[in-house]
Amino acid sequence: MDFELSPTQIERRAAVTAAVAKRLAAHRTTTDPELVRLAWKNIAGSGLTGLCLPEEYGGSGLGALDTALALEAFGAACSDTGLVFGIAAHLLSCAVPVGEFGAEGARELLAGMASGDVIAGNAMTEDEAGSDVGRIRTTATRTEGGYVLDGEKSFVSNAPVADVFVTYAVTDPAAGFLGISAFAVPRALDGITVGEPLPKMGLDGCLAARVRFDGCVVPDRYLLGAEGSGGAIFQHSMAWERGCLFAAYLGLMEHQLAECVRHTTERRQFGRKIAGFQAVSHRVARMRLRLESARLLLYRACWLLDAGRTDVTAIAMAKTAVSEAAVANSLDAVQLFGSSGYVAGAGIDQQLRDCLPTTIFSGTTEIQLELIARETGL
């Protein structure tokens, strides 16, 4: 077991940090679609939108662990966690399945996805199909030269700025899980309606909306994998998302911990630094313990992915550990900063709002615990 990062990995992390400082120096979290696209354009030149995509399409060809390390550096350097989340979701839940399962027609989208010129949204969730993805009602009916999509997706990250949607629909209602197919659907096709941006508690920089397909004819070339393989493709994309996207939250927690150390060693109460109170120092120590424990689990899950071993338990444990640590550490940070942590504008309040949804998206904590229990033999 070797816990040291290679010189190349260290250099890549430093490069990401420098790129964010330079390219997003003037960026502030925004919900304006035009400004969100501008932020994407500014950071895309750093390679973050194509980390694990094939080099022949302009990507960096990185494995899961190297992708996670880059996203961790991104999460630490960028205060707009919504932007970080949107780019990671574009890359992992959309570009990865297009790159690995798309035929030649769909793979033509990859160059734009790698460069950030083509933004992708993952359209799976429906009103009656969140954790229970087998209950999706969107249909894809065979027609000459393609499929006709009908249905509505209730929560699609990046939707207001997306140029393509990776979506899932039922092609064979009688086949259950094996009757779901995956598609890369260009937004320019007729029959697609994107709703207004949804108001959210956090991740403001990642705009989300409902997306409706009404008789949308999708040519055959945009089918991902074989008909009926959509469920397996979605599971594969979720392995990458749960394994790599949450590295961005390791970065957030690393930055947050440094802020808490600085604050507690500078702020004085009762004639002494508050870091000298055991109640404070132990809270900070537990924050570090959660962060380091979650980091090891996530690195291991990514290492297994790179080894060709998609370990469901390892990924579920990593996702759960990171999400629960992010929420707990953010609550501790608010407590350590006191009223200044509660007042909007200091950044600590925003970190908490951005961390709260981690226990919901990419599979709820309850679903992850079910997966762990099942793989444990229960």
Side-chain angles (χ1 to χ4, degrees):
M1 297 173 68
D2 184 358
F3 292 95
E4 291 290 338
L5 298 183
S6 70
T8 299
Q9 291 170 326
I10 294 172
E11 290 173 10
R12 186 181 296 115
R13 290 180 63 170
V16 170
T17 301
V20 172
K22 178 181 179 181
R23 295 173 180 272
L24 296 179
H27 175 70
R28 298 293 181 271
T29 302
T30 178
T31 57
D32 183 327
E34 291 187 8
L35 293 179
V36 170
R37 286 198 71 101
L38 178 61
W40 274 71
K41 182 177 180 180
N42 287 340
I43 197 60
S46 66
L48 284 166
T49 51
L51 291 170
C52 54
L53 297 186
E55 293 182 77
E56 63 185 292
Y57 293 98
S60 299
L62 301 182
L65 180 56
D66 284 329
T67 297
L69 291 171
L71 291 175
E72 181 179 356
F74 190 14
C78 182
S79 61
D80 186 352
T81 304
L83 176 65
V84 179
F85 174 86
I87 288 175
H90 150 94
L91 176 67
L92 302 167
S93 63
C94 299
V96 164
V98 172
E100 296 196 22
F101 300 99
E104 184 176 348
R107 289 172 70 86
E108 291 176 355
L109 298 167
L110 284 177
M113 297 174 86
S115 69
D117 293 330
V118 174
I119 298 176
N122 181 29
M124 167 59 98
T125 304
E126 299 180 5
D127 288 335
E128 300 301 324
S131 297
D132 187 1
V133 296
R135 289 180 60 84
I136 64 171
R137 294 292 179 262
T138 298
T139 60
T141 306
R142 200 76 174 88
T143 189
E144 184 177 355
Y147 296 81
V148 179
L149 264 62
D150 288 287
E152 185 167 354
K153 301 298 181 175
S154 59
F155 193 99
V156 182
S157 295
N158 295 329
V161 294
D163 303 293
V164 62
F165 299 104
V166 171
T167 194
Y168 300 83
V170 177
T171 46
D172 184 355
F177 182 80
L178 298 178
I180 299 173
S181 298
F183 303 87
V185 185
R187 184 172 181 164
L189 295 179
D190 292 334
I192 300 176
T193 303
V194 178
E196 291 297 312
L198 297 169
K200 308 192 305 300
M201 182 184 293
L203 298 176
D204 298 329
C206 176
L207 305 184
R210 301 178 75 92
V211 175
R212 181 164 186 82
F213 302 101
D214 286 300
C216 177
V217 179
V218 181
D220 281 330
R221 64 181 179 276
Y222 294 121
L223 174 69
L224 302 181
E227 186 176 303
S229 63
I233 291 173
F234 178 71
Q235 287 185 338
H236 180 77
S237 72
M238 282 298 98
W240 273 83
E241 181 168 298
R242 291 167 184 165
C244 299
L245 182 148
F246 284 82
Y249 281 95
L250 297 177
L252 180 152
M253 285 189 281
E254 184 76 45
H255 175 72
Q256 181 185 71
L257 180 62
E259 287 186 300
C260 289
V261 170
R262 175 191 56 76
H263 175 73
T264 57
T265 53
E266 291 178 355
R267 179 163 173 75
R268 303 180 70 87
Q269 292 285 278
F270 305 102
R272 60 192 291 199
K273 297 176 181 178
I274 64 172
F277 294 100
Q278 190 177 74
V280 171
S281 63
H282 282 193
R283 191 181 291 270
V284 174
R286 286 196 171 91
M287 291 175 70
R288 183 177 180 187
L289 177 61
R290 294 188 200 105
L291 167 60
E292 297 294 349
S293 301
R295 176 181 279 136
L296 289 174
L297 282 170
L298 186 136
Y299 284 6
R300 177 174 177 267
C302 291
W303 177 83
L304 286 166
L305 271 177
D306 286 337
R309 296 156 58 189
T310 304
D311 191 313
V312 173
T313 305
I315 292 170
M317 288 193 296
K319 194 272 185 187
T320 302
V322 175
S323 59
E324 293 191 342
V327 173
N329 280 17
S330 294
L331 288 170
D332 278 340
V334 170
Q335 193 69 25
L336 290 168
F337 273 77
S339 60
S340 63
Y342 175 71
V343 174
I348 301 301
D349 61 303
Q350 187 62 55
Q351 290 171 356
L352 174 59
R353 288 196 295 273
D354 290 340
C355 288
L356 285 173
T358 60
T359 60
I360 300 172
F361 64 69
S362 301
T364 64
T365 293
E366 290 75 17
I367 289 295
Q368 305 313 308
L369 294 175
E370 282 295 314
L371 292 172
I372 295 167
R374 185 185 308 163
E375 292 296 317
T376 306
L378 302 182

